[in-house]
Amino acid sequence: MSDASTGTGKVVVNRSMSLDGFIAGPGHAMDWVFDFMAPDEFSEIAAATGAMLIGRRTYDVGNRMAADKPGSTDYPFSGPSFVLTHRPPDPPDPEVTFLTGDIGEAVATARSAAGGKNLEILGADVAGQCLRRGLVDELLVYVLPVLLGDGIRFSPPGLARIDLEPVSSTRSGAVTILRFRVRS
């Protein structure tokens, strides 16, 4: 775990969630998120983020969304992005570093690149791996006022109990923003 007082950022799982517990709809659809929040709405969180570690499926879905609606997924983040995958694309995206291998090594690499700021974790599988290994400091959850009924659940099956400490609860328009610290 990290300590913000020493200048080392936190590892933060960041996700939007429907009220019925889905982070993506059927077919991994995530476009519904932008019905409730604009990508640039949370510039303070983006400013605290030094690097992102993203799962390959989330990376692919984000690219499809950006191609379908240019500008719709622009998040005001300018640091390095890492994608954890078993199959790097060919040709690779020059704006992204593709990592293979152990989740602990991937987190260490991305945290080092974060320059003392937070490492944001995006993607159900990568987040689940980080939670299983005790690599997460905080969960930042945007609860959206929608019931999806089906899709990708907030946490993967088989994840053991993890106790959380509430840090904050705020609202931004229709979105409820919850922040939890992972208890060690």
Side-chain angles (χ1 to χ4, degrees), residues 6 24 29 44 72 83 98 104 130 132 135:
T6 62
E44 181 181 315
S72 67
V83 174
F98 291 88
C130 288
R132 280 186 186 96
L135 300 171

Side-chain angles (χ1 to χ4, degrees), residues 14-105:
N14 185 342
R15 44 181 47 160
S16 298
M17 179 181 77
S18 66
L19 190 58
D20 54 350
F22 295 101
I23 60 169
H28 304 284
M30 292 189 290
D31 55 344
W32 56 275
V33 170
F34 302 112
D35 293 343
F36 302 97
M37 51 194 271
D40 63 351
E41 193 171 345
F42 302 101
S43 57
E44 181 181 315
I45 292 162
T49 301
M52 289 188 184
L53 179 60
I54 307 163
R56 175 63 189 266
R57 187 174 305 127
T58 300
Y59 168 78
D60 288 343
V61 169
N63 282 344
R64 278 196 306 273
M65 288 171 55
D68 290 345
K69 291 183 184 175
S72 67
T73 61
D74 292 345
Y75 185 51
F77 165 75
S78 61
S81 294
F82 298 86
V83 174
L84 184 61
T85 182
H86 295 292
R87 47 182 179 78
D90 188 26
D93 180 340
E95 295 185 21
V96 175
T97 301
F98 291 88
L99 304 173
T100 58
D102 179 70
I103 189 67
E105 292 172 13

Side-chain angles (χ1 to χ4, degrees), residues 150-170:
D150 196 10
I152 307 298
R153 290 236 168 252
F154 181 88
S155 62
L159 184 64
R161 176 180 166 159
I162 297 173
D163 291 331
L164 306 172
E165 176 185 336
V167 173
S168 65
S169 173
T170 58

